[in-house]
mmCIF file of all heavy atoms in Angstrom:
data_model
loop_
_atom_site.group_PDB
_atom_site.id
_atom_site.type_symbol
_atom_site.label_atom_id
_atom_site.label_comp_id
_atom_site.label_asym_id
_atom_site.label_seq_id
_atom_site.Cartn_x
_atom_site.Cartn_y
_atom_site.Cartn_z
ATOM 1 N N PRO A 65 89.880 91.168 77.737
ATOM 2 C CA PRO A 65 89.998 89.830 78.336
ATOM 3 C C PRO A 65 91.206 89.056 77.827
ATOM 4 O O PRO A 65 91.572 88.041 78.399
ATOM 5 C CB PRO A 65 88.680 89.155 77.917
ATOM 6 C CG PRO A 65 88.281 89.852 76.656
ATOM 7 C CD PRO A 65 88.695 91.278 76.867
ATOM 8 N N ASP A 66 91.827 89.548 76.733
ATOM 9 C CA ASP A 66 93.045 88.903 76.245
ATOM 10 C C ASP A 66 94.199 89.075 77.215
ATOM 11 O O ASP A 66 95.156 88.289 77.204
ATOM 12 C CB ASP A 66 93.442 89.479 74.878
ATOM 13 C CG ASP A 66 93.637 90.991 74.932
ATOM 14 O OD1 ASP A 66 92.676 91.692 75.327
ATOM 15 O OD2 ASP A 66 94.729 91.464 74.567
ATOM 16 N N VAL A 67 94.129 90.113 78.051
ATOM 17 C CA VAL A 67 95.156 90.308 79.078
ATOM 18 C C VAL A 67 94.815 89.382 80.239
ATOM 19 O O VAL A 67 93.842 89.603 80.952
ATOM 20 C CB VAL A 67 95.215 91.771 79.547
ATOM 21 C CG1 VAL A 67 96.265 91.929 80.638
ATOM 22 C CG2 VAL A 67 95.514 92.694 78.370
ATOM 23 N N GLN A 68 95.613 88.342 80.408
ATOM 24 C CA GLN A 68 95.330 87.329 81.421
ATOM 25 C C GLN A 68 95.708 87.812 82.819
ATOM 26 O O GLN A 68 96.564 88.697 82.993
ATOM 27 C CB GLN A 68 96.097 86.047 81.086
ATOM 28 C CG GLN A 68 95.719 85.435 79.742
ATOM 29 C CD GLN A 68 94.339 84.812 79.772
ATOM 30 O OE1 GLN A 68 94.137 83.772 80.379
ATOM 31 N NE2 GLN A 68 93.381 85.460 79.116
ATOM 32 N N ASN A 69 95.081 87.223 83.818
ATOM 33 C CA ASN A 69 95.420 87.572 85.195
ATOM 34 C C ASN A 69 96.887 87.310 85.501
ATOM 35 O O ASN A 69 97.532 88.077 86.217
ATOM 36 C CB ASN A 69 94.538 86.787 86.170
ATOM 37 C CG ASN A 69 93.134 87.349 86.248
ATOM 38 O OD1 ASN A 69 92.929 88.555 86.133
ATOM 39 N ND2 ASN A 69 92.158 86.482 86.428
ATOM 40 N N ILE A 70 97.443 86.227 84.958
ATOM 41 C CA ILE A 70 98.844 85.917 85.229
ATOM 42 C C ILE A 70 99.747 86.988 84.636
ATOM 43 O O ILE A 70 100.802 87.307 85.179
ATOM 44 C CB ILE A 70 99.201 84.505 84.687
ATOM 45 C CG1 ILE A 70 100.616 84.107 85.133
ATOM 46 C CG2 ILE A 70 99.074 84.451 83.173
ATOM 47 C CD1 ILE A 70 100.781 83.982 86.614
ATOM 48 N N ARG A 80 92.705 90.868 88.441
ATOM 49 C CA ARG A 80 91.278 91.097 88.650
ATOM 50 C C ARG A 80 90.812 90.514 89.982
ATOM 51 O O ARG A 80 89.964 91.097 90.665
ATOM 52 C CB ARG A 80 90.481 90.489 87.495
ATOM 53 C CG ARG A 80 90.769 91.122 86.130
ATOM 54 C CD ARG A 80 90.098 90.343 85.027
ATOM 55 N NE ARG A 80 90.334 90.907 83.704
ATOM 56 C CZ ARG A 80 91.409 90.622 82.956
ATOM 57 N NH1 ARG A 80 92.343 89.797 83.412
ATOM 58 N NH2 ARG A 80 91.546 91.163 81.762
ATOM 59 N N ASN A 81 91.344 89.352 90.344
ATOM 60 C CA ASN A 81 90.944 88.739 91.612
ATOM 61 C C ASN A 81 91.360 89.605 92.799
ATOM 62 O O ASN A 81 90.649 89.662 93.816
ATOM 63 C CB ASN A 81 91.548 87.343 91.739
ATOM 64 C CG ASN A 81 90.919 86.368 90.769
ATOM 65 O OD1 ASN A 81 89.758 86.513 90.406
ATOM 66 N ND2 ASN A 81 91.672 85.373 90.344
ATOM 67 N N TYR A 108 84.580 91.428 87.216
ATOM 68 C CA TYR A 108 84.607 90.734 85.930
ATOM 69 C C TYR A 108 83.416 91.089 85.035
ATOM 70 O O TYR A 108 83.484 90.902 83.815
ATOM 71 C CB TYR A 108 84.623 89.220 86.146
ATOM 72 C CG TYR A 108 85.956 88.680 86.563
ATOM 73 C CD1 TYR A 108 86.284 88.527 87.907
ATOM 74 C CD2 TYR A 108 86.895 88.286 85.609
ATOM 75 C CE1 TYR A 108 87.519 88.019 88.296
ATOM 76 C CE2 TYR A 108 88.129 87.776 85.988
ATOM 77 C CZ TYR A 108 88.435 87.641 87.339
ATOM 78 O OH TYR A 108 89.663 87.140 87.709
ATOM 79 N N TYR A 112 82.664 84.624 87.884
ATOM 80 C CA TYR A 112 84.071 84.296 87.633
ATOM 81 C C TYR A 112 84.211 83.009 86.830
ATOM 82 O O TYR A 112 85.036 82.921 85.910
ATOM 83 C CB TYR A 112 84.795 84.170 88.967
ATOM 84 C CG TYR A 112 86.255 83.789 88.860
ATOM 85 C CD1 TYR A 112 87.095 84.442 87.960
ATOM 86 C CD2 TYR A 112 86.799 82.797 89.677
ATOM 87 C CE1 TYR A 112 88.443 84.100 87.873
ATOM 88 C CE2 TYR A 112 88.126 82.456 89.589
ATOM 89 C CZ TYR A 112 88.949 83.109 88.683
ATOM 90 O OH TYR A 112 90.276 82.772 88.601
ATOM 91 N N ALA A 113 83.385 82.008 87.132
ATOM 92 C CA ALA A 113 83.460 80.735 86.406
ATOM 93 C C ALA A 113 83.165 80.930 84.927
ATOM 94 O O ALA A 113 83.800 80.317 84.058
ATOM 95 C CB ALA A 113 82.491 79.720 87.014
ATOM 96 N N ALA A 114 82.226 81.818 84.620
ATOM 97 C CA ALA A 114 81.895 82.081 83.220
ATOM 98 C C ALA A 114 83.047 82.792 82.519
ATOM 99 O O ALA A 114 83.368 82.491 81.357
ATOM 100 C CB ALA A 114 80.624 82.922 83.136
ATOM 101 N N TRP A 115 83.669 83.739 83.211
ATOM 102 C CA TRP A 115 84.805 84.447 82.606
ATOM 103 C C TRP A 115 85.942 83.480 82.310
ATOM 104 O O TRP A 115 86.559 83.530 81.237
ATOM 105 C CB TRP A 115 85.291 85.562 83.537
ATOM 106 C CG TRP A 115 86.301 86.481 82.888
ATOM 107 C CD1 TRP A 115 86.045 87.650 82.241
ATOM 108 C CD2 TRP A 115 87.719 86.286 82.832
ATOM 109 N NE1 TRP A 115 87.205 88.199 81.776
ATOM 110 C CE2 TRP A 115 88.257 87.387 82.124
ATOM 111 C CE3 TRP A 115 88.583 85.302 83.296
ATOM 112 C CZ2 TRP A 115 89.614 87.523 81.878
ATOM 113 C CZ3 TRP A 115 89.947 85.424 83.043
ATOM 114 C CH2 TRP A 115 90.453 86.520 82.349
ATOM 115 N N LYS A 116 86.244 82.593 83.262
ATOM 116 C CA LYS A 116 87.321 81.623 83.045
ATOM 117 C C LYS A 116 87.019 80.736 81.848
ATOM 118 O O LYS A 116 87.907 80.450 81.026
ATOM 119 C CB LYS A 116 87.533 80.755 84.290
ATOM 120 C CG LYS A 116 88.211 81.458 85.433
ATOM 121 C CD LYS A 116 88.826 80.480 86.421
ATOM 122 C CE LYS A 116 87.804 79.533 87.003
ATOM 123 N NZ LYS A 116 88.422 78.605 87.972
ATOM 124 N N ALA A 117 85.775 80.284 81.744
ATOM 125 C CA ALA A 117 85.410 79.400 80.641
ATOM 126 C C ALA A 117 85.538 80.101 79.296
ATOM 127 O O ALA A 117 85.918 79.477 78.291
ATOM 128 C CB ALA A 117 83.986 78.887 80.833
ATOM 129 N N GLN A 118 85.242 81.390 79.258
ATOM 130 C CA GLN A 118 85.260 82.126 77.997
ATOM 131 C C GLN A 118 86.632 82.674 77.636
ATOM 132 O O GLN A 118 86.993 82.727 76.457
ATOM 133 C CB GLN A 118 84.269 83.288 78.059
ATOM 134 C CG GLN A 118 82.813 82.886 78.155
ATOM 135 C CD GLN A 118 81.899 84.094 78.182
ATOM 136 O OE1 GLN A 118 82.155 85.117 77.549
ATOM 137 N NE2 GLN A 118 80.801 83.991 78.941
ATOM 138 N N HIS A 119 87.412 83.097 78.641
ATOM 139 C CA HIS A 119 88.589 83.906 78.339
ATOM 140 C C HIS A 119 89.923 83.380 78.867
ATOM 141 O O HIS A 119 90.967 83.763 78.338
ATOM 142 C CB HIS A 119 88.393 85.336 78.882
ATOM 143 C CG HIS A 119 87.188 86.022 78.348
ATOM 144 N ND1 HIS A 119 87.017 86.307 77.003
ATOM 145 C CD2 HIS A 119 86.063 86.477 78.975
ATOM 146 C CE1 HIS A 119 85.856 86.919 76.830
ATOM 147 N NE2 HIS A 119 85.259 87.028 78.004
ATOM 148 N N GLN A 120 89.894 82.555 79.907
ATOM 149 C CA GLN A 120 91.178 82.175 80.506
ATOM 150 C C GLN A 120 91.880 81.134 79.652
ATOM 151 O O GLN A 120 91.300 80.117 79.287
ATOM 152 C CB GLN A 120 90.971 81.635 81.924
ATOM 153 C CG GLN A 120 92.295 81.321 82.641
ATOM 154 C CD GLN A 120 92.114 81.207 84.134
ATOM 155 O OE1 GLN A 120 91.628 82.133 84.772
ATOM 156 N NE2 GLN A 120 92.481 80.071 84.691
ATOM 157 N N ARG A 121 93.138 81.395 79.334
ATOM 158 C CA ARG A 121 93.942 80.485 78.525
ATOM 159 C C ARG A 121 94.873 79.693 79.425
ATOM 160 O O ARG A 121 95.258 80.150 80.510
ATOM 161 C CB ARG A 121 94.771 81.264 77.505
ATOM 162 C CG ARG A 121 93.946 82.095 76.537
ATOM 163 C CD ARG A 121 94.827 82.622 75.415
ATOM 164 N NE ARG A 121 95.926 83.440 75.896
ATOM 165 C CZ ARG A 121 95.859 84.756 76.069
ATOM 166 N NH1 ARG A 121 94.739 85.399 75.804
ATOM 167 N NH2 ARG A 121 96.903 85.436 76.496
ATOM 168 N N PRO A 122 95.282 78.494 78.997
ATOM 169 C CA PRO A 122 96.268 77.739 79.773
ATOM 170 C C PRO A 122 97.547 78.555 79.926
ATOM 171 O O PRO A 122 97.976 79.245 78.997
ATOM 172 C CB PRO A 122 96.509 76.485 78.926
ATOM 173 C CG PRO A 122 95.303 76.368 78.063
ATOM 174 C CD PRO A 122 94.841 77.770 77.799
ATOM 175 N N GLU A 123 98.122 78.477 81.116
ATOM 176 C CA GLU A 123 99.332 79.258 81.374
ATOM 177 C C GLU A 123 100.505 78.675 80.604
ATOM 178 O O GLU A 123 100.808 77.488 80.692
ATOM 179 C CB GLU A 123 99.650 79.277 82.871
ATOM 180 C CG GLU A 123 100.872 80.118 83.202
ATOM 181 C CD GLU A 123 101.181 80.134 84.691
ATOM 182 O OE1 GLU A 123 100.349 79.634 85.464
ATOM 183 O OE2 GLU A 123 102.247 80.636 85.063
#
Side-chain angles (χ1 to χ4, degrees):
D66 57 303
V67 178
Q68 299 288 288
N69 284 326
I70 187 63
R80 297 172 180 86
N81 290 331
Y108 283 93
Y112 178 47
W115 190 93
K116 286 200 302 181
Q118 294 181 35
H119 302 298
Q120 184 162 303
R121 300 190 301 270
E123 182 180 351

